[in-house]
Amino acid sequence: MSTTFIEGSIAVAKTVGVCRPHVISAYPITPQTHIVEHLSELVADGEVKAEYVNVESEHSAASVVLGSSATGARTYTATTSQGFLLMIEVLFNIAGMRLPVVMTCVNRAVSAPINIWNDQQDSMTARDSGWIQLYAEDNQEASDMHLQAFKIAENKDIMLPVMICMDGFVLTHSFDPVELISQEQADKFLPPFKPEYYLTPKNPLTFGAMVGPDGYMETRYFIEKTMHASLQVISNVATDFHNQFGRFQGGLIDTYKVEDASLVLVAMGSIIGTIKDIVDELRAKGQKVGVLKVRSYRPFPKDEIYKALSHVKEIAVVEKAVSLGYGGILVNEIKSVFYGKPKTPKINGFILGLGGRDITADTIHQVIKETAKAASEEKFVGLNEALIGGK
Amino acid sequence: MSTTTLTAPKEQSCTLLAPGHTACTGCGEALAAKLVLGAAGTNIIVTDATGCLEVFTTKFPQSSWEVPFIHSLFENSAAVAAGVEVALKALGRQNEAKVIAQGGDGGTADIGLQALSGMLERGHDILYVCYDNEAYMNTGVQRSGLTPFDCMTTTSPCGELSWGNKHNKKDMPSIAAAHGIPYVATASVAFPKDIENKVKKALSITGPKYMQIHSPCPLGWRSKPQLTIQVAKLAVQTGLYPIFEIENGKVTKVRKVTTPKTPVEEYLKIQGRFAHLFKSPKGKEEIQKIQEIADRNIEKYGLA
């Protein structure tokens, strides 16, 4: 296995390429562009034998892969931010029709004000859409999770779309050493897509029927049930991957120095790397700090999180998204993990890094300092005091 | 698995759009869709936009579609069809089926226009069929971009300051033709053989094709269900709904209007949606404006 020094977007595009997608459709939007540009090059060079459809909007990109997937094709799309929001109507539709589309959501802030930099507000808006959402910490993980995504999505007991979320610019435009997946390795890991139901005159089926009050609720019940079942499938696929590649990427959560920790920071995505550095720094000073990465956000692995954190005294949830009018999103889901349990740790929530605001070592130190204070609360960290007038 | 895949009860059906669906009596769209399928045959995959057709044919757990059918959303029938078409190519199954995309006038000329334009511009081998009943009938007869001038709908009512819809019908066939596609045709449920011939012709041509079929809606037009064919015929005979074919940018064939000319009143007076024009002397001026629209069509397409 060879390691290549490569841009995150290119690594992801190459992995998607070896997954042998039949149809790729996308609309350009920063910072997703490098992924789809490279895929279109791979198709133009004949290295990937796929139909690449240049559409006139993200709505149509998602609609094209929907139609292709329903016809029995393996499909891929990628977008971010405004494009993601434009796709959302179709994203719900894809999940409702149980089509195993795989997409990359390059995480970026949403407008207004327009801002092309990273946070995770875009993908969080599709939290309830029926897509499996996995968040990547680094480019190796982002690359590897795309191969796993198809295997999870196309599992005949799952048949749900999978979204790999990776932080815009922070991951997509940064160069890292990545062990790329060869065609032979991918073929060994991922079997051809053979759906049980697809559009063909040989067996004329109706997709997307109108379902009234007598049947609609059951469609949601089935997706919810499948989401729970997918917890095991995501874990199994990660284990299969580990067995073949020797790397463990794509379980439900990941922990770093949590076992004996009294304070654990919880987060998703590339921020985990920064937090790990701080954890090492503080551990060297004797502080019992750890970090828990939520890799699978939907389905949400409540049991795994509880098991990992049940001994912890304090939790600080740091997130690059906000539910305006409520506060932190992930923090409240972490709180719900402890509802009805014998011991509840002090749980603080921190909103940071919105619109690409730098998250430095100092930011994380500030989070830890705030957590040490008595109250359990939710806070914006890293605000520009000059802009808020000291409020 | 969820139960979103259905099959039509074969033994009960004698056409590819099986009876037992819930379309209103005299529905022009149901007639048109049946004719399109009959001409296209079984080796097709069809998509459909949200609207009456999808609603009255796919009420779970039944389906009228004897051919593979997919409905996704309101505005993406053309894009979903594009996905079907490229998938067939990518899977080496392009000889398995022709792809037909369908939509109503709103799903085609308003909310779905962008996706349709993209599909036409990219050159997909798809026949797009717009069933034009000239308003949003499924939601209760609201005005669309294809609602004719002075027509009363629930969102373009007549009143002290209004004669109904203020705008002229969007020239959708010309918009389609402007994409440089090989085949554009209009048709009417009044002429079933013509629909069949045009569908067959369209499907024999490779590339994007656009067909717009005038399909009266007795409920929305407030016309008698038994008069659907007569209403549709009068729209053509008066010149208000010109029937033509455009091949590679050139008008190649038209259906002539009657000689002598049938005045537009004959068409308007049997529909409640134009009844307000007959209630006051000033309505005559409005009818004259509609006559001028018909005359322009006759002139433009050489229908006389």
Side-chain angles (χ1 to χ4, degrees):
Chain A
M1 212 170 293
S2 66
T3 302
T4 313
F5 189 64
I6 194 169
E7 193 192 275
S9 294
I10 311 298
V12 165
K14 286 188 187 301
T15 303
V16 170
V18 296
C19 292
R20 298 189 187 275
H22 299 107
V23 175
I24 301 162
S25 185
Y27 186 83
I29 178 168
T30 303
Q32 149 264 35
T33 42
H34 290 185
I35 298 175
V36 296
E37 284 168 4
H38 192 65
L39 273 168
S40 70
E41 282 170 23
L42 293 172
V43 172
D45 289 337
E47 287 180 45
V48 173
K49 305 242 178 314
E51 291 288 324
Y52 186 99
V53 189
N54 277 305
V55 281
E56 80 297 333
S57 74
E58 286 87 358
H59 197 282
S60 283
S63 300
V64 165
V65 294
L66 181 155
S68 295
S69 185
T71 311
R74 179 173 287 162
T75 60
Y76 172 80
T77 187
T79 191
T80 176
S81 183
Q82 305 310 118
F84 187 88
L85 297 186
L86 186 55
M87 258 190 198
I88 277 193
E89 186 195 22
V90 193
L91 297 184
F92 274 80
N93 208 248
I94 288 170
M97 280 206 250
R98 309 299 298 261
L99 299 172
V101 173
V102 169
M103 77 175 283
T104 310
C105 176
V106 171
N107 286 115
R108 175 187 136 178
V110 294
S111 181
I114 188 163
N115 173 301
I116 62 164
W117 292 274
N118 167 242
D119 65 34
Q120 295 171 342
Q121 291 182 85
D122 50 3
S123 56
M124 295 299 268
T125 61
R127 181 188 69 172
D128 307 329
S129 64
W131 281 65
I132 289 172
Q133 280 195 352
L134 307 172
Y135 286 74
E137 173 187 343
D138 57 37
N139 285 335
Q140 183 68 61
E141 187 175 29
S143 163
D144 291 347
M145 285 205 307
H146 281 81
L147 177 63
Q148 297 184 29
F150 284 104
K151 199 165 182 171
I152 297 163
E154 293 169 6
N155 182 308
K156 70 174 175 48
D157 296 325
I158 303 300
M159 291 299 281
L160 282 176
V162 176
M163 182 187 301
I164 304 299
C165 303
M166 66 188 291
D167 287 325
F169 292 117
V170 181
L171 295 183
T172 54
H173 287 55
S174 65
F175 282 69
D176 277 319
V178 174
E179 283 185 28
L180 294 171
I181 295 163
S182 71
Q183 188 61 68
E184 293 69 33
Q185 289 170 329
D187 290 345
K188 193 178 158 203
F189 185 78
L190 181 65
F193 177 40
K194 293 242 166 69
E196 286 181 70
Y197 306 102
Y198 58 96
L199 293 165
T200 171
K202 288 173 191 154
N203 179 26
L205 300 171
T206 291
F207 282 62
M210 195 191 87
V211 182
D214 51 346
Y216 180 89
M217 206 156 104
E218 286 70 17
T219 67
R220 292 305 182 261
Y221 166 77
F222 279 125
I223 294 176
E224 176 65 10
K225 224 175 122 174
T226 306
M227 274 283 181
H228 287 288
S230 72
L231 288 164
Q232 190 58 52
V233 173
I234 295 166
S235 299
N236 293 349
V237 170
T239 307
D240 290 351
F241 189 90
H242 182 239
N243 291 340
Q244 185 181 329
F245 294 89
R247 303 188 292 273
F248 187 75
Q249 307 277 24
L252 301 165
I253 59 166
D254 208 354
T255 56
Y256 185 70
K257 301 189 178 173
V258 159
E259 293 70 23
D260 65 339
S262 60
L263 165 66
V264 170
L265 279 77
V266 177
M268 303 197 295
S270 64
I271 190 179
I272 296 287
T274 311
I275 300 175
K276 278 179 182 168
D277 282 350
I278 308 299
V279 165
D280 287 341
E281 194 185 303
L282 295 175
R283 282 268 170 183
K285 292 180 190 160
Q287 268 180 267
K288 290 196 169 173
V289 186
V291 55
L292 182 138
K293 166 166 78 179
V294 177
R295 188 188 268 128
S296 172
Y297 180 57
R298 285 294 179 273
F300 192 66
K302 279 185 202 168
D303 294 345
E304 287 74 11
I305 293 171
Y306 180 71
K307 225 173 117 188
L309 299 182
S310 58
H311 66 283
V312 170
K313 287 199 188 79
E314 290 178 330
I315 293 172
V317 181
V318 289
E319 53 189 313
K320 295 191 215 173
V322 57
S323 168
L324 297 169
Y326 193 90
I329 305 167
L330 182 61
V331 64
N332 283 290
E333 298 188 0
I334 295 292
K335 281 178 183 170
S336 78
V337 164
F338 292 92
Y339 181 77
K341 302 290 189 202
K343 271 197 308 187
T344 305
K346 186 172 91 183
I347 302 174
N348 285 282
F350 300 94
I351 292 153
L352 40 70
L354 300 187
R357 177 68 47 90
D358 248 1
I359 299 167
T360 64
D362 282 350
T363 322
I364 306 301
H365 280 302
Q366 198 189 332
V367 162
I368 291 168
K369 217 182 287 167
E370 296 282 350
T371 303
K373 293 181 189 166
S376 174
E377 59 180 329
E378 289 170 35
K379 268 201 163 157
F380 279 72
V381 179
L383 291 171
N384 183 341
E385 296 297 331
L387 286 178
I388 58 173
K391 280 178 190 158
Chain B
M1 274 300 297
S2 62
T3 45
T4 48
T5 52
L6 310 172
T7 47
K10 275 208 167 69
E11 65 280 2
Q12 291 169 17
S13 69
C14 50
T15 73
L16 295 177
L17 192 73
H21 58 68
T22 57
C24 307
T25 313
C27 171
E29 189 176 34
L31 275 174
K34 193 170 88 170
L35 290 163
V36 168
L37 292 191
T42 51
N43 290 333
I44 53 171
I45 295 175
V46 299
T47 70
D48 190 19
T50 305
C52 283
L53 180 61
E54 159 265 329
V55 169
F56 70 67
T57 56
T58 72
K59 206 172 162 205
F60 178 83
Q62 291 170 318
S63 170
S64 278
W65 299 90
E66 296 280 19
V67 293
F69 169 96
I70 183 167
H71 155 253
S72 167
L73 297 164
F74 202 173
E75 68 274 53
N76 68 354
S77 184
V80 171
V84 172
E85 188 246 11
V86 294
L88 290 174
K89 236 189 260 176
L91 295 162
R93 287 165 44 201
Q94 60 268 55
N95 295 327
E96 185 182 290
K98 296 274 185 189
V99 182
I100 299 178
Q102 309 170 104
D105 45 291
T108 300
D110 290 346
I111 198 167
L113 182 57
Q114 178 178 316
L116 173 59
S117 173
M119 185 276 275
L120 298 177
E121 167 260 317
R122 290 189 302 269
H124 294 280
D125 188 18
I126 293 169
L127 167 60
Y128 190 100
V129 180
C130 168
Y131 301 109
D132 180 12
N133 57 21
E134 306 193 317
Y136 291 93
M137 299 316 186
N138 190 44
T139 43
V141 201
Q142 293 85 14
R143 181 215 172 263
S144 84
L146 295 195
T147 300
F149 177 72
D150 269 359
C151 174
M152 198 161 66
T153 70
T154 55
T155 53
S156 62
C158 64
E160 284 297 311
L161 305 173
S162 168
W163 288 103
N165 181 38
K166 293 185 186 73
H167 311 286
N168 285 325
K169 187 179 177 78
K170 192 189 283 191
D171 187 359
M172 197 51 223
S174 295
I175 293 170
H179 289 78
I181 62 174
Y183 187 74
V184 173
T186 57
S188 163
V189 289
F191 304 100
K193 203 71 205 160
D194 187 51
I195 294 179
E196 288 174 357
N197 290 340
K198 282 172 176 167
V199 168
K200 282 182 184 154
K201 183 170 179 179
L203 291 177
S204 74
I205 299 166
T206 305
K209 287 84 59 177
Y210 177 79
M211 218 176 134
Q212 185 171 303
I213 306 176
H214 201 217
S215 313
C217 167
L219 189 77
W221 295 14
R222 291 188 281 137
S223 53
K224 288 182 178 150
Q226 65 270 33
L227 294 186
T228 290
I229 300 299
Q230 195 185 327
V231 170
K233 202 173 270 179
L234 280 164
V236 175
Q237 287 173 342
T238 53
L240 278 175
Y241 211 91
I243 302 296
F244 53 82
E245 285 174 286
I246 300 174
E247 291 175 74
N248 299 307
K250 290 205 175 89
V251 177
T252 52
K253 216 172 169 189
V254 299
R255 178 174 288 273
K256 299 284 184 189
V257 296
T258 49
T259 337
K261 206 160 75 172
T262 308
V264 293
E265 280 95 333
E266 299 301 310
Y267 172 64
L268 304 175
K269 73 182 182 192
I270 53 173
Q271 302 174 62
R273 63 176 178 159
F274 294 110
H276 57 294
L277 303 179
F278 296 90
K279 284 180 182 153
S280 71
K282 274 202 121 186
K284 281 216 168 82
E285 289 170 30
E286 296 302 311
I287 292 170
Q288 184 51 37
K289 289 179 194 167
I290 297 172
Q291 184 61 56
E292 283 160 19
I293 292 169
D295 293 346
R296 278 199 298 274
N297 285 337
I298 292 166
E299 172 76 24
K300 182 178 175 188
Y301 291 102
L303 306 179

